[in-house]
Amino acid sequence: MGSLSLFTIIIIAANALISYKGFNDYGFFERYKFNVGGIKRGEQFRMFSSGFLHADMQHLLFNMLTLYFFADRVIYFLGEVNFLIVYIGSLGLGSLLSYYFHQKEYQYSAVGASGAVMGILYSAILIDPMMQIYGFIPGFVFGIGYLLYSIYGMKNRVGNIGHDAHFGGAVGGYVITLIVKPSLFETDLLMVGLLAIPIVVLFVMHKLGKI
């Protein structure tokens, strides 16, 4: 894929400009990053503003390149307005899940558009589950595998990565896509079910106190 709509350009530009500001202004970065203590003080805006900040240029480029390659597929099938709803909704749900799992850790902080971008990626996979990722991996295999790895990462605190935000973002992409395109239940019910497997696994593990 790889074509750019105006909506995609605006999102990439906003991420680039706000992230650049954060790279060079520590006070700005601290004010708008995701931080549990700040959110508990009533600064809920951090749950969205943090999605436009990045830790460094590599972090920013990785997220924006991923968005670049998958955004047009979602826009083609869902339209630009629904694409924006998926993006913002996935960002919000990613932050909510991250807050839920870290709400007792007042110092916990995070930044990045990964939740929103993962929502777009999972939406694209739901729309076209046989799409090729890395040239040979079927989209649905990649999506399921990535979310199962995210559960592992959440449980074992693997790396300095917001696995819960990634997972929440993917759930946002999955749910919102089905809301705006319910015909997928009729045309590809098997894939709708398969892509729900990691979500069910997380729910069960949480109920059992395993995560």
Side-chain angles (χ1 to χ4, degrees):
M1 305 301 285
S3 60
L4 282 173
S5 78
L6 178 61
F7 278 54
T8 309
I9 292 171
I10 291 172
I11 289 173
I12 291 175
N15 273 277
L17 291 172
I18 296 172
S19 291
Y20 183 76
K21 171 70 173 175
F23 295 157
N24 298 284
D25 188 335
Y26 178 78
F28 179 86
F29 186 88
E30 288 295 306
R31 171 63 173 160
Y32 292 104
K33 71 180 182 180
F34 180 97
N35 174 260
V36 171
I39 293 169
K40 284 184 176 291
R41 291 193 300 269
E43 300 170 356
Q44 283 79 16
F45 61 83
R46 290 175 180 267
M47 302 184 81
F48 289 94
S49 61
S50 60
F52 292 90
L53 290 169
H54 288 81
D56 51 40
M57 187 61 71
Q58 182 179 358
H59 187 204
L60 172 65
L61 288 175
F62 179 80
N63 276 334
M64 294 304 99
L65 281 172
T66 304
L67 178 65
Y68 168 78
F69 284 114
F70 294 99
D72 61 326
R73 193 180 301 263
V74 177
I75 289 170
Y76 179 80
F77 285 98
L78 301 184
E80 290 185 324
V81 173
N82 285 331
F83 161 77
L84 186 60
I85 292 171
V86 171
Y87 187 91
I88 298 299
S90 298
L91 170 58
L93 195 54
S95 291
L96 280 172
L97 193 66
S98 188
Y99 180 79
Y100 177 77
F101 279 107
H102 297 282
Q103 58 186 302
K104 295 182 180 179
E105 303 168 44
Y106 279 66
Q107 299 304 313
Y108 181 84
S109 299
V111 292
S114 300
V117 172
M118 192 64 197
I120 294 299
L121 173 58
Y122 217 67
S123 176
I125 291 171
L126 181 58
I127 290 166
D128 184 7
M130 297 309 296
M131 66 189 296
Q132 297 296 299
I133 296 180
Y134 299 126
F136 66 97
I137 305 174
F140 78 96
V141 173
F142 177 86
I144 293 170
Y146 187 88
L147 289 196
L148 291 176
Y149 170 74
S150 293
I151 293 173
Y152 171 80
M154 292 162 66
K155 179 176 174 59
N156 296 283
R157 300 294 182 97
V158 176
N160 187 28
I161 299 172
H163 296 286
D164 33 38
H166 292 183
F167 196 98
V171 173
Y174 176 84
V175 172
I176 297 170
T177 299
L178 289 175
I179 290 173
V180 301
K181 196 173 178 61
S183 60
L184 289 169
F185 285 109
E186 299 177 3
T187 61
D188 217 346
L189 183 59
L190 175 61
M191 287 300 173
V192 170
L194 287 175
L195 288 167
I197 289 174
I199 301 172
V200 174
V201 169
L202 179 65
F203 177 79
V204 171
M205 289 184 67
H206 182 60
K207 282 292 186 181
L208 294 175
K210 301 295 184 181
I211 191 170

